[in-house]
Amino acid sequence: VQLQAYGGGLVQIGDSLSLSCAASGRTFSSLSLGWFRQAPGQERSFVAAISWRDGRVVYQESMKGRFTLSRDNDKNTVNLEITNVTRDDAAVYYCAASYGLASGREYEYDYWGQGTQVTVSS
């Protein structure tokens, strides 16, 4: 499985942003997909994940309300919508895939994409 995250770039505070992750391979519907992010000088942290089995979405508590995660099994993509972007959203965003259920634990993910940079300006 290969993952390619895209959609990052320069956004302004208050903007909305859509990140996508495309997956290769024919097992996409059997994969749970997650997003993590790493801000400069900080450790990578969990954002949200969606389970393959029932589409259940798990969010990092602080992400609830502004972040929306969805998947399209026909297009092999997972999409992360961010509204009302804040300066704290500036980070490299990584998508990851797991054969398990949606999880916030990095070690449960089997595949990782390269990441897409989100820069926030005022």
Side-chain angles (χ1 to χ4, degrees), residues 51-70:
S51 179
W52 68 268
R53 188 167 68 182
D54 54 9
R56 183 177 67 94
V57 181
V58 178
Y59 294 97
Q60 173 66 257
E61 190 64 30
S62 62
M63 311 295 177
K64 291 181 179 180
R66 294 193 303 115
F67 290 69
T68 302
L69 183 62
S70 62

Side-chain angles (χ1 to χ4, degrees), residues 32-36 46-52 55-60 69-71 78 80 96 98 101-105 109:
S32 293
L33 285 301
W35 283 94
F36 293 77
F46 172 66
V47 176
I50 185 166
S51 179
W52 68 268
R56 183 177 67 94
V57 181
V58 178
Y59 294 97
Q60 173 66 257
L69 183 62
S70 62
R71 65 188 295 159
V78 60
L80 181 68
S98 166
L101 299 178
S103 169
R105 294 180 283 271
Y109 288 85

Side-chain angles (χ1 to χ4, degrees), residues 5 11-12 15 17 22 29-30 36 48 51 56-58 63 75 77-78 82 87-88 90 104 115 117:
V11 295
Q12 292 189 326
D15 281 354
L17 177 66
S29 60
S30 300
F36 293 77
S51 179
R56 183 177 67 94
V57 181
V58 178
M63 311 295 177
K75 296 182 179 179
T77 59
V78 60
I82 307 172
R87 195 177 301 278
D88 290 341
Q117 175 78 52

Side-chain angles (χ1 to χ4, degrees), residues 106-122:
E106 290 193 31
Y107 64 82
E108 294 191 2
Y109 288 85
D110 304 287
Y111 306 97
W112 290 83
Q114 294 279 16
T116 184
Q117 175 78 52
V118 173
T119 303
V120 179
S121 71
S122 56

